[in-house]
């Protein structure tokens, strides 16, 4: 269902909208992914500049109509056991973005443009995010061409052909960072041809150490600390930029109860679902 329709459905008396549930499987987060083999995005200061040029609140309000929460780091706020809200992440600051691009050696040309890149998306919310990114980066001198394609073509372009500069995408973080997040940052998971692997070609031995240690650590506190350090490294390196944790909304007749009682949401077994008696 298109998100713009949700506000209209709120006014239908016999319908209810519920954002609970889905934390287990469908905690989808949108993010920017850089191709670190790109001549521009291989520079950390350029990636940091992009992060400072983007206002997540605008994306949340205009693209997702407020259904979600800002998610600037690699671990979504939905994963409360692992997300560290104290990690310092780049905030919206256009002047800082301009300064970083100058420091990186990419001044504005006579036409005001520093460099030109393409941004790959597939149909849906990704295209709306891409149009915002194009406008936001133009303000700091980066000329972006948004390339929209159907899902299969996008997957082939990004993960098989690696014919991209940077992209945005939604992905499920699932129920645990080792299961849903490690795949994007572990250097050993750079596997051309495999969708939703380490498409950035990120290779950081310290991140590998932290992820591998967390994967086998049995102590919950130590494991949380390892993922906290992982988030701090990514907040500086920025092989990807987190954008929004998109809310998963269940629309149901008010007479139906027990449909989203667990973190698996509508993927559950409906053992508690029931139809309430009419008033």
């Amino acid at each position: 269902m298109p998100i713009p329709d949700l506000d209209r459905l709120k006014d239908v008396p016999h319908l209810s909208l519920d954002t609970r549930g889905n934390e287990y499987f469908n905690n989808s987060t949108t993010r920017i992914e850089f191709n670190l083999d790109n001549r521009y995005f291989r520079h950390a200061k350029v990636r940091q500049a992009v992060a400072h040029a983007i206002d997540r609140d605008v994306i949340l309000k205009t693209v997702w109509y407020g259904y979600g929460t800002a998610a600037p780091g690699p671990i979504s706020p939905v994963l409360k056991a692992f997300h560290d809200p104290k990690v310092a992440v780049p905030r919206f600051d256009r002047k800082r973005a301009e300064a970083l691009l100058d420091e990186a050696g990419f001044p504005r040309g006579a036409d005001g443009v520093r460099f030109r890149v393409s941004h790959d998306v597939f149909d849906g919310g990704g295209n709306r995010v891409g149009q915002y990114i194009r406008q936001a980066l133009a303000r700091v001198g980066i000329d972006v061409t948004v390339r929209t394609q159907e899902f299969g073509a996008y997957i082939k372009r990004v993960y098989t052909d690696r014919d991209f500069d940077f992209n945005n995408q939604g992905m499920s973080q699932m129920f645990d960072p080792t299961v849903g997040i490690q795949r994007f940052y572990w250097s050993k998971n750079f596997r051309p041809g495999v969708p939703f692997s380490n498409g950035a070609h990120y290779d950081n031995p310290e991140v590998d150490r932290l992820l591998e240690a967390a994967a086998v650590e049995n102590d919950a506190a130590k494991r949380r600390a390892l993922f906290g350090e992982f988030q701090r490294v990514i907040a500086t390196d920025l092989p990807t930029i987190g954008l929004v944790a998109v809310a998963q909304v269940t629309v149901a007749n008010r007479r139906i109860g027990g449909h989203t009682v667990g973190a698996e949401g509508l993927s559950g077994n409906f053992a508690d679902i029931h139809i309430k008696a009419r008033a």
Side-chain angles (χ1 to χ4, degrees):
M1 175 180 297
I3 287 182
D5 288 339
L6 293 177
D7 284 344
R8 176 178 59 81
L9 295 178
K10 281 181 179 179
D11 297 327
V12 179
H14 68 278
L15 295 180
S16 67
L17 273 64
D18 200 334
T19 58
R20 297 174 300 170
N22 297 295
E23 291 89 350
Y24 192 87
F25 287 124
N26 299 319
N27 53 328
S28 179
T29 302
T30 62
R31 65 182 194 143
I32 290 171
E33 179 181 59
F34 295 105
N35 182 346
L36 300 183
D37 297 322
N38 177 270
R39 60 178 295 195
Y40 305 114
F41 295 132
R42 67 187 182 192
H43 299 282
K45 286 186 177 181
V46 173
R47 302 193 299 272
Q48 291 163 6
V50 172
H52 282 298
I54 290 171
D55 189 338
R56 292 177 184 83
D57 290 336
V58 172
I59 295 175
L60 177 59
K61 293 175 183 177
T62 62
V63 175
W64 302 111
Y65 296 83
Y67 287 94
T69 185
I75 297 181
S76 168
V78 174
L79 292 178
K80 296 178 181 179
F82 306 102
H83 172 70
D84 187 348
K86 297 179 181 179
V87 171
V89 295
R91 301 297 182 184
F92 177 57
D93 185 341
R94 195 173 290 131
K95 289 183 179 180
R96 180 60 180 152
E98 295 261 19
L100 284 165
L101 289 167
D102 288 338
E103 292 172 16
F106 299 107
R108 288 181 180 267
D111 58 356
V113 175
R114 299 174 186 275
F115 55 81
R116 292 177 168 82
V117 289
S118 59
H119 183 73
D120 284 290
V121 302
F122 52 89
D123 297 337
N127 185 49
R128 297 194 300 272
V129 174
Q131 295 303 326
Y132 166 77
I133 289 171
R134 179 182 62 80
Q135 296 174 33
L137 296 192
R139 300 287 296 274
V140 298
I142 301 175
D143 184 86
V144 176
T145 298
V146 178
R147 300 191 295 194
T148 305
Q149 56 241 280
E150 56 87 22
F151 183 70
Y154 171 89
I155 292 298
K156 183 176 184 296
R157 180 189 293 277
V158 172
Y159 293 102
T160 300
D161 300 337
R162 294 192 53 74
D163 174 27
F164 76 104
D165 298 328
F166 72 139
N167 64 63
N168 83 75
Q169 57 183 234
M171 55 91 176
S172 173
Q173 299 201 350
M174 301 189 74
F175 56 91
D176 185 281
T178 296
V179 179
I181 298 172
Q182 176 174 317
R183 55 188 169 139
F184 299 113
Y185 302 96
W186 191 33
S187 69
K188 297 174 185 176
N189 205 41
F190 173 62
R191 300 181 179 183
V194 178
F196 299 107
S197 55
N198 179 359
H201 197 185
Y202 184 53
D203 187 347
N204 185 320
E206 176 63 7
V207 166
D208 284 353
R209 183 191 70 80
L210 292 166
L211 291 173
E212 290 168 7
V216 298
E217 178 57 63
N218 291 319
D219 184 284
K222 291 180 180 178
R223 195 161 186 261
R224 181 181 176 87
L226 288 166
F227 282 126
E229 185 58 32
F230 159 73
Q231 290 169 83
R232 282 185 281 278
V233 175
I234 297 301
T236 300
D237 265 7
L238 294 175
T240 66
I241 298 174
L243 299 176
V244 172
V246 182
Q248 303 296 312
V249 183
T250 301
V251 180
N253 189 298
R254 291 185 182 278
R255 290 188 62 206
I256 300 176
H259 53 75
T260 50
V261 296
E264 69 274 35
L266 292 178
S267 298
N269 58 18
F270 293 123
D272 295 303
I273 200 167
H274 56 277
I275 299 178
K276 302 172 186 178
R278 294 186 183 278

